[in-house]
Amino acid sequence: MSYPSPWQPWQPWQQAQSSPVMLASHADRERAVDVLRAGFAEGRLQQAEFDRRVARAYEARTVGELSLLVADLPQGPVAIQPAAPPVQAYQAYPPVPRTFLPAPPPPTNGKAVGAMVCGVLTTMTMGVTGIPAVILGHSARAEIRRTGEGGDGFALAGLVLGWLSIAGWAVFLVILFLAAVTSP
């Protein structure tokens, strides 16, 4: 026994062919607006065209009028294409370039990650990892500028935390030195 899908695409052409002058119900108008919203979300309609069609959909009196508003849009989910074409078809057609896909993000620089880890560990190691954080941070930022890798924020975080750790130790040693000099 098969159950009906909870999402049923609206197919106005079936109703319009039988009776294009049949009065449209509120549900018919809402289904037409849903098709328009899906077309707008997919980039098939511009904002002004979408607004105009939605206004006309709510003013439509017949199913035929609604079918004209959505006639150039898909009426439901698009069928899923197979992941890979058959071998014969692949050999017959050249591969399609990936022009519409976003570019993959560049890899993250390992030294930048190391700089951030050392910078975070300065709080747990009482500042011992501050100097490696600064060294790794500077070398990572130079590599990132040269190679175009990602991770500049990690390197910068490691640099800031490392320099804060070094400054904290410098202030602590100055206070310790002043206390040693001024004590009798």
Side-chain angles (χ1 to χ4, degrees), residues 9-46:
W10 182 52
Q11 299 173 346
W13 59 86
Q14 293 173 348
Q15 294 174 351
Q17 287 174 353
S18 63
S19 176
V21 292
M22 181 188 329
L23 292 177
S25 68
H26 294 300
D28 291 334
R29 289 184 193 91
E30 289 302 322
R31 283 191 294 263
V33 170
D34 287 342
V35 171
L36 292 171
R37 283 187 187 124
F40 177 70
E42 293 171 354
R44 297 178 192 274
L45 297 173
Q46 298 294 325

Side-chain angles (χ1 to χ4, degrees), residues 7 9 42 44 73-81:
W7 188 85
E42 293 171 354
R44 297 178 192 274
L73 297 172
Q75 301 299 311
V78 179
I80 297 174
Q81 300 295 324

Side-chain angles (χ1 to χ4, degrees), residues 98-157:
R98 301 175 144 226
T99 54
F100 295 110
L101 296 177
T108 304
N109 186 292
K111 288 182 182 177
V113 174
M116 187 184 74
V117 168
C118 287
V120 170
L121 288 177
T122 58
T123 57
M124 292 168 257
T125 61
M126 298 189 61
V128 174
T129 58
I131 293 174
V134 169
I135 293 170
L136 285 171
H138 281 296
S139 64
R141 292 193 80 196
E143 281 184 16
I144 289 169
R145 275 187 242 112
R146 188 176 64 246
T147 63
E149 292 178 312
D152 191 49
F154 290 162
L156 188 61

Side-chain angles (χ1 to χ4, degrees), residues 61-85:
R61 300 246 323 127
T62 65
V63 174
E65 293 174 36
L66 292 174
S67 66
L68 289 175
L69 291 174
V70 297
D72 58 345
L73 297 172
Q75 301 299 311
V78 179
I80 297 174
Q81 300 295 324

